[in-house]
Amino acid sequence: MKFFCTLFLSVSQFFLFSQGDTLSLSFMHNDSLRSYVLYVPVTYDGADNWPLVLNFHGFNNSSESQMNLSQMNPVADTANFLVAYPQGLQVDNPFLGFTAPGWNIDGTLSDNDDITFTYALINHIQESYAVDTNRIYATGWSMGGNISYQLGCTPASPIASIASVAGQLASVQVEPCNPQRPVSLLLIHGSEDPLAPIDGVDMVLTSGSFTASFWAGLNNCSEDSVVVEIEDLSIEDSSTVTLTTYMGCEGNTEVQYYVINGGGHTWPGGGPLIDAFGHINQDINASSVIWNFFNRNPRQNISTDRKEILETLRKGISYFPNPFNGDLSIELQLITSRSVRFSLSNLVGQTVLGSQPYRLFKGTNRVQWNIEGNGLEGGLYFLSVEINGIKSIYPLVYRGS
């Protein structure tokens, strides 16, 4: 289904006490004047290449409001990195029924090419500032988190790691997401989020747990995870924090999922929002947590073998019929012989059915998978194809028996 539930949000003005330069910049891209705010700490002198964090606003919002909401500039002052706050153009919102500034998620909401705009923005900054190309990161709030996912999913993306606050993967983002290398992910989400429910919205938003486990699959993390309860430092914020960390990820990457128990559609430790958005957690400072995560996770190189497998998962997989009843045909075009395993997961990321491993050979392979008699209810599922430990996810509909 080619639409995306964008989220209306309103940020109160909040003034930051930072010491550097806040610059309003613009350039022409695809016949449109595109703009962004760049924060440069006072300690920047151009002698060394600095990390760059791209911090994307939510739907019906602005680069300035995202700067005020996230309060990332003071973190940049102490940690020595540049922060860019891109400004989105008008996008349609079929869920809310109006148009406002935002991001063209999976090419479904406008004609804007926000991916190439982001690349051009990075180049625009590099014309005047020394940027470490192995340490370019993307984060955002709500819909800004979704464009961060898209940058992480895009082949040959310059983004090293991504973080999302109050925004899980959109359903339309799952199938095309096949990064060419492991990309670390940090997700922060409130359990009482009134706008992007943590359990997802059918055919629109996946759940927070699915997003984290899906990304752990992309990074070939082990099935083990460690759950930690963060110290409740602020009783008054009516919320606590649970952190799940996925272990053994490829290339020493990380996947972390912070659940703000009782938290709303907010930025922990950030600027104020209207009360309807829910509680703002004060046990963690999201901008500090995100930067520390980014600082541990620079860009990873891609191996030749991984590149070949990802090419197969992007172009060499087909499955039919969809919707299906009992029998599902899966066709794979392999460059070399591989071990392949299939599984089905539900909307919350739980594996509900798995296959035996198949040894498939170079060329065209077809596997008939019969799932009748397994007690599954009809509905939307995700087919996982795993080749030598590398997974890709494809949506399909089971009619039921």
Side-chain angles (χ1 to χ4, degrees):
M1 184 174 296
K2 285 293 185 179
F3 70 88
F4 173 65
C5 171
T6 50
L7 305 172
F8 175 81
L9 37 96
S10 174
V11 181
S12 302
Q13 290 298 313
F14 191 88
F15 297 98
L16 304 177
F17 297 98
S18 48
Q19 302 172 343
D21 293 326
T22 303
L23 309 172
S24 295
L25 304 171
S26 62
F27 59 93
M28 294 298 298
H29 177 69
N30 289 349
D31 298 325
S32 295
L33 182 65
R34 302 301 302 258
S35 62
Y36 65 99
V37 172
L38 180 67
Y39 181 71
V40 183
V42 69
T43 51
Y44 175 83
D45 60 8
D48 299 305
N49 293 335
W50 273 30
L52 169 64
V53 175
L54 308 176
N55 194 338
F56 293 87
H57 65 76
F59 177 72
N60 195 28
N61 230 271
S62 69
S63 51
E64 290 83 3
S65 64
Q66 181 63 16
M67 181 171 61
N68 291 334
L69 171 68
S70 65
Q71 301 184 46
M72 189 168 277
N73 292 357
V75 180
D77 283 335
T78 59
N80 292 340
F81 61 92
L82 306 170
V83 192
Y85 302 90
Q87 177 61 51
L89 299 178
Q90 298 289 306
V91 298
D92 294 328
N93 187 329
F95 185 76
L96 294 178
F98 68 95
T99 300
W103 308 104
N104 187 17
I105 304 303
D106 196 43
T108 61
L109 305 181
S110 71
D111 294 328
N112 308 329
D113 189 343
D114 288 321
I115 299 301
T116 60
F117 158 63
T118 302
Y119 298 164
L121 184 152
I122 294 170
N123 291 336
H124 196 254
I125 294 172
Q126 289 177 308
E127 291 175 0
S128 302
Y129 298 91
V131 174
D132 185 343
T133 55
N134 288 318
R135 304 181 72 193
I136 300 175
Y137 308 102
T139 188
W141 180 45
S142 190
M143 196 182 200
N146 289 101
I147 192 63
S148 300
Y149 291 129
Q150 196 158 328
L151 286 163
C153 290
T154 302
S157 171
I159 302 302
S161 304
I162 62 175
S164 177
V165 179
Q168 62 272 65
L169 274 165
S171 298
V172 296
Q173 293 183 292
V174 174
E175 182 176 6
C177 183
N178 284 298
Q180 287 187 339
R181 54 183 170 78
V183 176
S184 294
L185 167 70
L186 171 68
L187 171 60
I188 301 174
H189 208 104
S191 67
E192 304 302 318
D193 191 319
L195 297 180
I198 196 169
D199 291 330
V201 178
D202 190 27
M203 304 296 289
V204 179
L205 290 173
T206 69
S207 67
S209 60
F210 175 87
T211 298
S213 62
F214 169 77
W215 214 274
L218 291 178
N219 284 4
N220 297 313
C221 305
S222 70
E223 295 183 359
D224 297 328
S225 60
V226 175
V227 179
V228 176
E229 300 297 329
I230 304 298
E231 184 179 359
D232 188 9
L233 298 174
S234 175
I235 305 299
E236 294 77 15
D237 63 7
S238 301
S239 59
T240 61
V241 183
T242 302
L243 167 62
T244 299
T245 300
Y246 292 81
M247 309 301 292
C249 303
E250 182 180 353
N252 294 319
T253 53
E254 292 185 74
V255 176
Q256 291 193 324
Y257 178 28
Y258 286 80
V259 175
I260 311 300
N261 306 299
H265 195 69
T266 53
W267 188 284
L273 290 161
I274 60 175
D275 291 341
F277 280 48
H279 298 300
I280 302 174
N281 181 266
Q282 301 297 333
D283 299 320
I284 63 171
N285 180 296
S287 289
S288 294
V289 167
I290 288 168
W291 168 249
N292 289 330
F293 180 84
F294 284 164
N295 196 36
R296 297 194 303 268
N297 291 285
R299 180 183 174 93
Q300 298 291 322
N301 294 322
I302 178 173
S303 69
T304 301
D305 189 57
R306 179 181 175 88
K307 186 180 297 184
E308 177 190 305
I309 293 173
L310 290 170
E311 188 71 10
T312 296
L313 291 172
R314 259 192 301 276
K315 299 181 179 179
I317 305 290
S318 60
Y319 54 98
F320 48 88
N322 187 21
F324 76 109
N325 287 322
D327 287 314
L328 181 67
S329 295
I330 308 170
E331 191 170 283
L332 299 88
Q333 300 286 339
L334 296 181
I335 300 172
T336 58
S337 297
R338 297 288 185 184
S339 175
V340 182
R341 186 189 296 269
F342 308 104
S343 62
L344 287 180
S345 60
N346 59 22
L347 288 174
V348 297
Q350 298 170 323
T351 299
V352 295
L353 188 63
S355 78
Q356 64 182 15
Y358 294 89
R359 183 65 183 179
L360 303 181
F361 301 95
K362 178 180 178 180
T364 301
N365 297 263
R366 179 175 293 184
V367 175
Q368 291 292 124
W369 193 18
N370 186 289
I371 71 165
E372 285 185 327
N374 286 283
L376 296 182
E377 298 181 355
L380 176 66
Y381 291 87
F382 293 93
L383 170 68
S384 173
V385 180
E386 180 179 343
I387 302 177
N388 283 24
I390 299 176
K391 298 178 184 179
S392 191
I393 306 292
Y394 310 88
L396 74 166
V397 175
Y398 177 50
R399 294 187 187 276
S401 55

